Each structure stands twice: as C-alpha cells, then as structure tokens.
Amino acid sequence: SRVNALINAFSETIAERIRSEGFSARWVHSSERVDFVNIAGQFPHKTTAVKAGLGWIGRCCQLVTRRFGPRVRLGTVLTDMPLGEEPCGLMRSYCGTCRRCVEVCPAGALTGGDWSPEAGRAALLDAAVCAEWQKKHFAEFHGMGCGICTSACPHGSSRPRTRKQERAGNL
C-alpha cells in the first residue's frame, strides 16, 4: 500500500508538472482493482510498458525487464506532450525455457504459457486461483501478495549470467 501510494504521488506530481508546461496530462492509479470479477485494474500498465519496449510479460504474468526482472512497479501518466522518442516496440521474451516461476507457484495458478497481446493474461495465469490462494494465506505474507514467483525469477537477480545463457535467453 505504501509503495502504491508513493507511485501515485509521483505520478500525480509528474502530471501536474506536465500541465504546468501547457500540455494535457492525467495520472492513473498504479494498483487499484476496479473489476472484482475479472480481478483487473482500470488501466493495463504492464501491457503498455511492453508496447513501449520496457520489457516483456514473463511466464509469471508480470512485466520483466532485463535489469530488474519482475521486481518493478509501474505508474502511468497519459499526456499529449511530445516525448522525443517513438516507442521501440515489443521486446522479445528472454524467459527461454525457464519455468522456475511456474514450478514454485504454490497455488498452481501459472500455466507456463507464453504471453501475447492477443492471448492476454488467461494464457499465463488463472487470476481467480491466485487471488483465492493469497486470501487463504494472507497472514503468512503480512497482507501482501506472496511474491514467490517474483523471487524465483532469475532476471534481475544478483546471480551473474553466462554469455551462453544470455544468448540462449535461458537462465
């Protein structure tokens, strides 16, 4: 909750600054569930980040970046301000044959599938199963998401990769 509040505060400040320069800007809540049936927020932050070339959606159903792995949180500011660069497009997945996140998921909610804009979240995650497991184990994780899949992901970890692993996309 504290991290989300900080992200929202930063996003609001950025939007205000953009508006002070004469452009339109609106910030979007970083993590606010508005669809309780489909377990979704009001804006697809991860999909937008992927389309901007910031990373890929891994088998863990999270945005994964080369530098930080799935250990990122997103805020979004929508604006008509020119940003100087065009988005670089979809980044290929570097998950390779790795299935660590799928194998450690205690809920069995991860399918092990590959993400695509057409397939969407259901190709990777049974969100209802994940949410139900987290509700049952809420106290174990002090009211937070379990994060076990995040912990298992070797991207962004301190463990060095070999050149062979980098080329193959396997870790």
Side-chain angles (χ1 to χ4, degrees), residues 93-108:
S93 170
Y94 286 90
C95 291
T97 59
C98 181
R99 293 179 49 85
R100 291 180 191 181
C101 58
V102 177
E103 293 163 0
V104 301
C105 177

